[in-house]
Amino acid sequence: LDTGKFFMRVSFISEEGLSGSAISADFAAVAAPFAMDYDFHNSESRMKVLLMVSRFGHCLNDLLYRWKIEALPIDIVGVVSNHF
């Protein structure tokens, strides 16, 4: 609320097979009147992720399991916690 910004993540497939840079160039005209910050990423490229864990281990176990069976396409670069 303090920033007055709205965040949204959308996943879609270009029916014309356009690249992210082509979509970004076309989207600039839509974004300009609203002073939007935006970025397009290829969903097939794996994001580097730092897992931040709190007290309960079952959430970490679930994330690691999904990563191991490749249901979660990320590269885990580290795990940090504020508890043993």
Side-chain angles (χ1 to χ4, degrees), residues 11-14 40-48 70 72-75:
S11 177
F12 64 92
I13 298 172
S14 169
F40 291 93
H41 298 276
N42 185 341
S43 63
E44 293 180 11
S45 62
R46 296 167 66 100
M47 296 177 72
K48 292 183 184 223
E70 298 185 8
L72 197 57
I74 59 174
D75 289 330

Side-chain angles (χ1 to χ4, degrees), residues 2-70:
D2 293 339
T3 65
K5 293 192 177 210
F6 173 76
F7 175 81
M8 181 172 65
R9 178 175 291 163
V10 177
S11 177
F12 64 92
I13 298 172
S14 169
E15 292 181 2
E16 290 89 23
L18 296 173
S19 68
S21 58
I23 294 170
S24 183
D26 291 343
F27 191 74
V30 174
F34 300 101
M36 293 171 66
D37 294 326
Y38 63 94
D39 205 356
F40 291 93
H41 298 276
N42 185 341
S43 63
E44 293 180 11
S45 62
R46 296 167 66 100
M47 296 177 72
K48 292 183 184 223
V49 175
L50 173 68
L51 298 179
M52 300 171 72
V53 183
S54 191
R55 185 171 301 235
F56 302 108
H58 67 278
C59 296
L60 175 61
N61 290 339
D62 182 62
L63 289 170
L64 291 175
Y65 171 73
R66 291 172 190 257
W67 168 75
K68 178 130 176 118
I69 65 170
E70 298 185 8

